[in-house]
Amino acid sequence: MGEMDQMKKEAEGLKSQIEAARKAAADTTLADAASGVAPAPRVQLKTRKTLKGHLAKIYAMHWATDCRLDHAMLMVSASQDGKLIIWDAFSGNKINAVPLKSSWVMTCAYAPSGNLVASGGLDNMCTVYNLKTPVVKTVKELDAHTGYLSCARFLSDTEILTASGDTTCALWDIETGKQKTVFLNHVGDCMCLALSPDMNMFISGACDSLAKLWDIRDGTCKQTFQGHTSDINAISFFPSGNAVVTGSDDCTCKMYDLRSDQEVISYQDAQLNSGVTSLALSVSGRLIFAGYDDFNCNIWDSLKGEKVGVLSGHDNRVSCTGVPQDGMCVCTGSWDSFLKIWN
Amino acid sequence: MSSNSNLTSMRRIVEQLKFEANVERIKVSQAAAELQQYCLQNASKDALLVGVPTGSNPFRDPRSCALL
């Protein structure tokens, strides 16, 4: 019992040390530092396309990386109607519909090459599909998580990262179907993950209200960010790779700067009392599109912390948002079964 | 045994905290300046921020034509 108490004391001491070091670096806040910057203009976007085709709640969507190929702009969406649909956002046409073995899907992902997509959910598996064969084929079923699959992101056609309700994240070798690295540190269900722009790191958000930064190659947790008071459902890197934005059931979004190792601004409003389900940043990082349980997607000025617009139009919770690589539009997906493209 | 695994967990927690305590931290003022600079430098490329000129919006109906 002696060692346990000793370690608890050591842990408390280290937490205080970290707290003090963060305070010492906090010579200002982001909003104060940006007080000289002109506020972002009011952002009024229109729905340019409504993608109709799913028959049940949409849980996830992901833009293809090089999405403007052959005059098409590709994205994948996942619905609990048991389908993944590949869309061309320009025309609104469905390019492919992939039937899922399990309809309880929670995530989908497009590989950077455009050759593969992946899905997963309450089946605890990540299933990878090849879009380039004459008929879409299942390439691999990645089966080792002991909890639901909440998020998946391809590094390449041979490697994929997953986040799970079993509190771990994992890096998989798609060819062998095995986990290469397991990222252990969260004490709550992992709900989301995002890859750094240089692909060497990733960030995860979990039900333990923490965001963690991981080194993909050595498997270690480099930094832990606290501040949220409930599950973190959404996470994204700021485009420079030096900061991370999170969205939570506590109704706020927060930006954490990696190099000062702390929260630098919180995006919240006394009148907003719905949880954040999803978020995406515009290409300059200035705008944050955050989807909420109250059916709206609010647009925040990332530097000043002010709301500069809202995307209203869905008849149910906004469950996913995404901005493509060229930043030409934003997509929202909803439990109302529709996806909308705005700019 | 449960008390052993608690001890192991606790050791891991302490190791992780030691590691995280050693992170080098820059001042928030410097971090904020760089975040701000990135936003401003890339603002002109941000179609959602500055708007898409009507004629070149790939999502608008071809019927809304631009006079050449």
Side-chain angles (χ1 to χ4, degrees), chain B residues 28-53:
Chain B
V28 172
S29 53
Q30 188 193 334
E34 295 185 23
L35 289 168
Q36 191 178 304
Q37 188 182 48
Y38 189 94
C39 284
L40 296 176
Q41 275 176 350
N42 291 283
S44 58
K45 298 186 227 157
D46 191 338
L48 294 169
L49 183 65
V50 302
V52 185

Side-chain angles (χ1 to χ4, degrees), chain A residues 20-77:
Chain A
R22 283 174 173 162
K23 264 214 172 86
D27 56 347
T28 185
T29 63
L30 177 55
D32 284 342
S35 56
V37 177
R42 275 220 72 78
V43 178
Q44 288 172 311
L45 306 181
K46 294 206 168 84
T47 302
R48 301 297 175 190
K49 280 274 175 312
T50 298
L51 306 179
K52 304 182 191 194
H54 279 300
L55 304 171
K57 294 175 176 173
I58 290 171
Y59 273 77
M61 62 80 44
H62 194 213
W63 287 101
T65 305
D66 192 5
C67 48
R68 285 233 229 176
L69 281 169
D70 305 321
H71 309 289
M73 194 156 176
L74 303 175
M75 45 170 271
V76 61
S77 61

Side-chain angles (χ1 to χ4, degrees), chain A residues 3 7 10 18 21 24-25 27-28 33-34 37 48 89-90 221 224 239 257 259-261 282 284 327-328 343, chain B residues 10-11 14 16 18-21 24-29 31-32 34 36 38-39 42 46 48 57-60:
Chain A
E3 191 183 347
M7 287 200 296
E10 199 176 353
I18 292 172
D27 56 347
T28 185
V37 177
R48 301 297 175 190
F90 282 153
C221 170
T224 298
D257 185 274
R259 295 173 316 150
S260 50
D261 185 46
S282 69
S284 69
M328 285 296 292
N343 71 11
Chain B
M10 203 58 214
R11 279 193 201 118
V14 169
Q16 181 64 31
K18 276 187 191 160
F19 188 73
E20 290 180 15
E24 268 185 39
R25 297 172 181 85
I26 67 171
K27 293 267 193 260
V28 172
S29 53
E34 295 185 23
Q36 191 178 304
Y38 189 94
C39 284
N42 291 283
D46 191 338
L48 294 169
N57 189 343
F59 291 99
R60 296 206 67 164

Side-chain angles (χ1 to χ4, degrees), chain A residues 4-305:
Chain A
M4 193 65 174
D5 287 336
Q6 208 180 316
M7 287 200 296
K8 277 186 185 166
K9 214 170 150 207
E10 199 176 353
E12 288 314 306
L14 286 163
K15 284 182 191 169
S16 301
Q17 202 184 310
I18 292 172
E19 189 57 43
R22 283 174 173 162
K23 264 214 172 86
D27 56 347
T28 185
T29 63
L30 177 55
D32 284 342
S35 56
V37 177
R42 275 220 72 78
V43 178
Q44 288 172 311
L45 306 181
K46 294 206 168 84
T47 302
R48 301 297 175 190
K49 280 274 175 312
T50 298
L51 306 179
K52 304 182 191 194
H54 279 300
L55 304 171
K57 294 175 176 173
I58 290 171
Y59 273 77
M61 62 80 44
H62 194 213
W63 287 101
T65 305
D66 192 5
C67 48
R68 285 233 229 176
L69 281 169
D70 305 321
H71 309 289
M73 194 156 176
L74 303 175
M75 45 170 271
V76 61
S77 61
S79 163
Q80 293 202 342
D81 63 6
K83 294 238 167 18
L84 290 186
I85 297 182
I86 314 297
W87 307 85
D88 165 25
F90 282 153
S91 61
N93 291 338
K94 298 174 207 25
I95 308 298
N96 257 313
V98 183
L100 304 174
K101 256 193 195 168
S102 162
S103 63
W104 303 112
V105 66
M106 294 174 68
T107 186
C108 60
Y110 224 121
S113 64
N115 296 329
L116 309 172
V117 288
S119 68
L122 295 183
D123 58 354
N124 298 0
M125 294 195 309
C126 179
T127 307
V128 178
Y129 308 88
N130 187 339
L131 294 178
K132 302 298 183 177
T133 44
V135 178
V136 175
K137 261 182 14 159
T138 299
V139 168
K140 245 335 178 265
E141 286 177 341
L142 306 174
D143 191 3
H145 279 301
T146 53
Y148 58 82
L149 204 85
S150 53
C151 193
R153 285 293 177 258
F154 285 92
L155 287 165
S156 65
D157 280 3
T158 54
E159 288 182 314
I160 191 168
L161 270 171
T162 55
S164 170
D166 67 11
T167 77
T168 73
C169 294
L171 174 67
W172 302 76
D173 178 327
I174 296 173
E175 283 163 355
T176 63
K178 300 270 181 276
Q179 291 181 331
K180 284 165 113 162
T181 312
V182 181
F183 302 90
L184 296 165
N185 214 267
H186 278 295
V187 295
D189 300 12
C190 293
M191 297 303 292
C192 51
L193 71 90
L195 270 172
S196 65
D198 69 7
M199 310 258 271
N200 291 325
M201 314 282 264
F202 77 94
I203 193 103
S204 60
C207 292
D208 56 14
S209 71
L210 303 172
K212 286 179 180 286
L213 178 71
W214 308 86
D215 182 314
I216 292 180
R217 299 303 156 194
D218 71 23
T220 58
C221 170
K222 297 294 182 196
Q223 287 171 257
T224 298
F225 301 97
Q226 59 202 59
H228 280 298
T229 53
S230 188
D231 306 354
I232 294 176
N233 297 317
I235 201 159
S236 180
F237 268 90
F238 183 83
S240 68
N242 288 330
V244 148
V245 180
T246 52
S248 166
D249 271 349
D250 68 10
C251 314
T252 75
C253 293
K254 289 178 188 297
M255 184 184 293
Y256 297 93
D257 185 274
L258 301 185
R259 295 173 316 150
S260 50
D261 185 46
Q262 58 190 280
E263 177 183 331
V264 293
I265 192 167
S266 189
Y267 308 98
Q268 59 193 78
D269 186 311
Q271 287 153 342
L272 269 177
N273 44 28
S274 301
V276 179
T277 61
S278 52
L279 66 87
L281 270 59
S282 69
V283 296
S284 69
R286 188 66 192 269
L287 300 176
I288 299 170
F289 294 88
Y292 290 74
D293 286 343
D294 69 359
F295 309 178
N296 288 328
C297 178
N298 289 313
I299 311 174
W300 297 90
D301 177 335
S302 67
L303 297 179
K304 294 191 170 279

